[in-house]
Structure formats: C-alpha cells, structure tokens
Amino acid sequence: MTETFKNDVEKGLNATPKTLPSKYFYDKKGDALFVEIMNLPEYYLSRCELDIFQNKTKDLIDKLQLDPNSYFELIELGARDGSKTKELLRMIDAKKFKFDYFPIDISINSLKLLKQDLNEELPNVSVQTKQGDYFGVLASLKESKLPKIVLFLGSNIGNMSDEMAAQFIHNLSAILQAGDKLVLGVDLIKPKELVLPAYDDHEGITAKFNLNLLRRINDELGGNFDLNLFEHQAEYNEEEGIAKSFITSTVEQKVTIKAMGKSFEFAAAEKIHTEVSRKYNDAILAKIIANTDFRICNKIMDSKEYFADYILERS
C-alpha cells in the first residue's frame, strides 16, 4: 500500500497540472471527517440517497426482482459505514431472503466498524468483508455462479471522468453474468446554489477532509507540507454538470517528500486537482453505458428528485 501510495503521489505531483487521487482521502482520520461531511446540512447527497433506501426500499426490492427462493450475493463497492445499505439489509433479512453481503472498501478501518455494527444490529446477515481494489476483489468472487447484485452508491461513479466511468462499467460487466444487476447511485444535475455548498461547507469540514491528503503524505511518506500554506478550493460548472475540488498553494514554495528523495515546486495560487464530482441525467448515463453490456431497467429518485438510483441489468 505504501509503495502504491508513493508512486501515485509522485506521478500526480509530477503531472501538469498537478493531481492527487481522491481514493487517498480515506484513512482513519479521513473516514471520520467524511462521516462529519455526510451529516452537514449542505451535503444533501447522503440524505437524498438515504431517503430512497428508507422510504422506497420495497420499490427497490421489487425493481431488483429479488427471488426469496434463490440465493444471491449482494456486493457493495465502497461500502463506507453502510448507513444506506443497512436499510435494504434490514428488509431483505426480515423477508427471509437468502444472501451473502460482501462489502468492499479500500479502508480496513471502515470495514471493521461496519462488520461490528452489522453483527450487533443484524446478527442473521452473513457479512463477508473484502478489503482492497474493487476489481481485484470482484475477480476473486467471479468463480461463484450465484446471481449478483452490485451496489455502487453515493455517486462515487461521479469521481471519474465520463471516459473512465464508461471503462469502469465495461470492466464490471466483464466480471458479471447475464441477469446480474448494478444499482448505480448518481447525483443529478442541479443549480450551482445547491451543489457548490456541498463541496465547500461553511464549517470547513470539507476543507479539512481535502487537506488531510497532505497530512497523510507527511505522516506516511515523510513529506513536509505546511498545511497552513495550502487551502481547499471548490468549483462547479452548472452547464457541464461537474464539480471539482482542489488544494491550492497560497504562496510560492517547495515541498520535500523523503520517501521519494524529491522536492516539488509550487507557484503561488497553483492548484492540485484532487477530486471531480460528475452530475448526471438520463442522456449522460445512457451515453456512458452505450458500449457496455448493461442496460437501464429502472430509476428510483428521492422525494426532492435531487438524486437517483438507477438499476442496470447485465445482458
């Protein structure tokens, strides 16, 4: 993990413009900060998708066409704290469906906490945590010929460019079988006044979350980033439907990372691009999956119609 982290950081800081992968937001401190973000009044995404899982659970089960007599595998990519999925697990457990739940996450800390919570709250549910890269873990599950339902929630697909998202879904379809389903949670295109505060809250929690990436480099790779000389910056292009997050250097400076034996120059106001958050509509998603083996079967929206969980079926 440290070697991969080092290589990704080195590659990103050598790029023009500079970048850092958003997947490294999540360590123990980053996990805790993201939980705080999900509870912020500005961060509508979690509440909207939770609304779907709390109030339209039966609709979701019906549209997934779950068979109570057929064993299936419920696989969640990037499970985090599982707050939304618990609502689904509760109902399918109560209805005596036969299944195993496989939460996959890069954060071992999140998986430990999730398994502990589920063992207490839903002791009858079979929970088999899998730590690591999505496709690495999915490949290990490919041998099982049981029907699979994959959850990719929280608009995590929005952290990818459209080209990357298309390739991701194409790769996912190669691992799954005909009839398997994907529940894809996406944030829908909305006005700037609604979207931008979700990535730049007035309490500064999102800023701490973004800058935590530099703290990780300091702690794990021997960097000497002065976090006081960098700031969080969020942008949203409403016409494009894309929000972006940056870490911006406030002064001209040089940063050294011991693990690489290298220094990196920063100009005043130079940005490090850390995250993209794509917003969707039917046409954008249809274009993304056009060259994959998935087709859109259904779409379930929250009460405000801010967010949607699309159900895609592998042909």
Side-chain angles (χ1 to χ4, degrees), residues 43 86 129 132 134-136 144 146 191-192 200 224 227 229 281:
Y43 198 76
K86 284 176 189 175
T129 60
Y134 296 156
F135 290 107
S144 165
L146 291 169
K192 185 176 183 177
D200 195 15
N224 68 342
L227 272 60
L229 299 180
N281 56 29

Side-chain angles (χ1 to χ4, degrees), residues 113-251:
L113 292 174
L114 176 58
K115 182 156 189 173
Q116 181 180 322
D117 287 347
L118 288 174
N119 285 344
E120 292 174 4
E121 294 181 38
L122 297 166
N124 294 325
V125 173
S126 166
V127 181
Q128 301 186 39
T129 60
K130 301 287 183 179
Q131 193 270 335
D133 170 79
Y134 296 156
F135 290 107
V137 175
L138 281 169
S140 73
L141 298 174
K142 188 177 180 180
E143 292 180 12
S144 165
K145 299 305 179 186
L146 291 169
K148 292 176 175 60
I149 295 169
V150 177
L151 307 177
F152 196 37
L153 309 178
S155 207
N156 284 327
I157 192 79
N159 297 144
M160 307 176 194
S161 68
D162 289 356
E163 295 76 17
M164 289 172 62
Q167 188 62 51
F168 180 90
I169 294 177
H170 174 79
N171 293 346
L172 188 57
S173 70
I175 293 173
L176 300 178
Q177 306 169 87
D180 288 345
K181 294 183 176 70
L182 169 64
V183 180
L184 186 64
V186 302
D187 194 17
L188 302 175
I189 292 177
K190 290 177 293 301
K192 185 176 183 177
E193 293 73 24
L194 283 170
V195 174
L196 194 55
Y199 301 94
D200 195 15
D201 64 280
H202 76 282
E203 290 184 38
I205 306 300
T206 311
K208 289 180 183 177
F209 179 66
N210 204 10
L211 290 166
N212 183 57
L213 213 165
L214 301 186
R215 195 270 313 159
R216 278 197 74 180
I217 295 172
N218 286 350
D219 290 353
E220 298 177 32
L221 301 177
N224 68 342
F225 281 96
D226 183 343
L227 272 60
N228 295 314
L229 299 180
F230 291 86
E231 62 184 15
H232 166 69
Q233 184 176 339
E235 300 174 2
Y236 177 60
N237 184 316
E238 187 177 329
E239 184 178 338
E240 212 178 17
I242 296 177
K244 295 179 181 179
S245 293
F246 301 89
I247 296 172
T248 303
S249 176
T250 59
V251 297

